[in-house]
Each structure stands twice: as C-alpha cells, then as structure tokens.
Amino acid sequence: VHRLIRSRKSREILKNFKMVTHLDPPRPAEAYGVAKLFGEDLARMYSDVHGISCICIRFGGVGASDLPISESGTWCSQRDASRIVELCVEAPDSLKFDIFYAVSKSKSQWVDCEHIREVLGFESVDCENDRIPMLG
C-alpha cells in the first residue's frame, strides 16, 4: 500500500487508509532503518532504566529540494523541523519517552502526525504540495 501512496496512485486508497502511527510495529526495509530503530530502543532503555527523558523524532526528508515525487508524503520543511525540535526540547520533564513522526502537511501523507499535535501541540505550517510544482 505504501508503494502505491508514494507513486501517487493513492487517491482512492487514502480515503479508507489507516495511517501509520508511532505505535505500529516497525518494518524496516534496509539496514539504515534497523540502525535507527536500535537508537530508539536504546533511548527507551535509558528512559526506563535511568529515568532520562528521551524523545525520538522520525524525520522525513528535511528541506530536501530534490526529494523525488516517489517519496511524497515524507517531506518536512526546515521551518517545521525546527519547530518540532524546539517543542521536544521544551517538553515537560514528565515526558520520559516518546516517538514522533516529523513531516509537513501533504495530500499524500501516510504517517499520522496527530500524536505529535496531541502531545506537543505541533501544527505544520508548510505543505509538501506547495513545493511540488517547483520541482518541475
């Protein structure tokens, strides 16, 4: 399903599609993804064992002007990325561990950003679809 969404053959799929959330089991497709998940597990362990606040951010292609159309739904503007980092740094000490997706608004979005809005109050100010015509 994600390949169809990324290929922009997604209009009908997105109507009834359940977005991927931070709670869905990870399914890395390459070693890079496995390494990122190791970092998240390490952060969770430090939070659980030592009480350290560890917030993990799953960034999309931050500010990438050359992000291919096939990767639509994963772009994050530099402005949105900066705001997310700021909100994580300012998060209350009671937030000991969490994982947030960091992508800007998109008509092809396939990850759920409701969690970051509910917990940190993040609202995306930029939209991937506004930049696509510029890619020509």
Side-chain angles (χ1 to χ4, degrees):
V1 172
H2 295 125
R3 285 189 189 134
L4 290 174
I5 291 170
R6 287 180 176 177
S7 71
R8 295 203 163 278
K9 298 175 183 172
S10 59
R11 299 293 176 226
E12 291 302 312
I13 292 171
L14 286 175
K15 288 180 184 175
N16 298 312
F17 181 72
K18 179 190 173 293
M19 296 275 190
V20 174
T21 74
H22 67 290
L23 297 175
D24 288 324
R27 307 280 268 179
E30 54 197 33
Y32 174 77
V34 172
K36 289 184 70 98
L37 292 172
F38 172 77
E40 289 178 5
D41 286 344
L42 191 62
R44 184 182 304 270
M45 184 272 301
Y46 271 93
S47 178
D48 290 346
V49 173
H50 301 288
I52 297 171
S53 178
C54 297
I55 300 172
C56 301
I57 306 170
R58 294 177 177 172
F59 284 105
V62 177
S65 60
D66 60 345
L67 191 68
I69 299 295
S70 63
E71 294 295 319
S72 66
T74 64
W75 180 75
C76 185
S77 72
Q78 292 173 337
R79 188 166 43 172
D80 283 344
S82 295
R83 181 65 182 140
I84 290 167
V85 170
E86 182 180 10
L87 289 168
C88 288
V89 169
E90 294 172 351
D93 291 338
S94 59
L95 182 60
K96 291 299 181 191
F97 179 83
D98 217 328
I99 298 170
F100 300 110
Y101 279 104
V103 297
S104 295
K105 287 182 272 192
S106 173
K107 291 179 183 174
S108 301
Q109 191 167 331
W110 51 273
V111 295
D112 184 4
C113 293
E114 183 66 16
H115 180 63
I116 194 169
R117 187 186 67 73
E118 289 175 355
V119 176
L120 297 179
F122 172 73
E123 295 288 346
S124 176
V125 295
D126 294 309
C127 181
E128 174 182 41
N129 303 92
D130 295 338
R131 76 175 189 92
I132 289 176
M134 295 183 283
L135 296 178

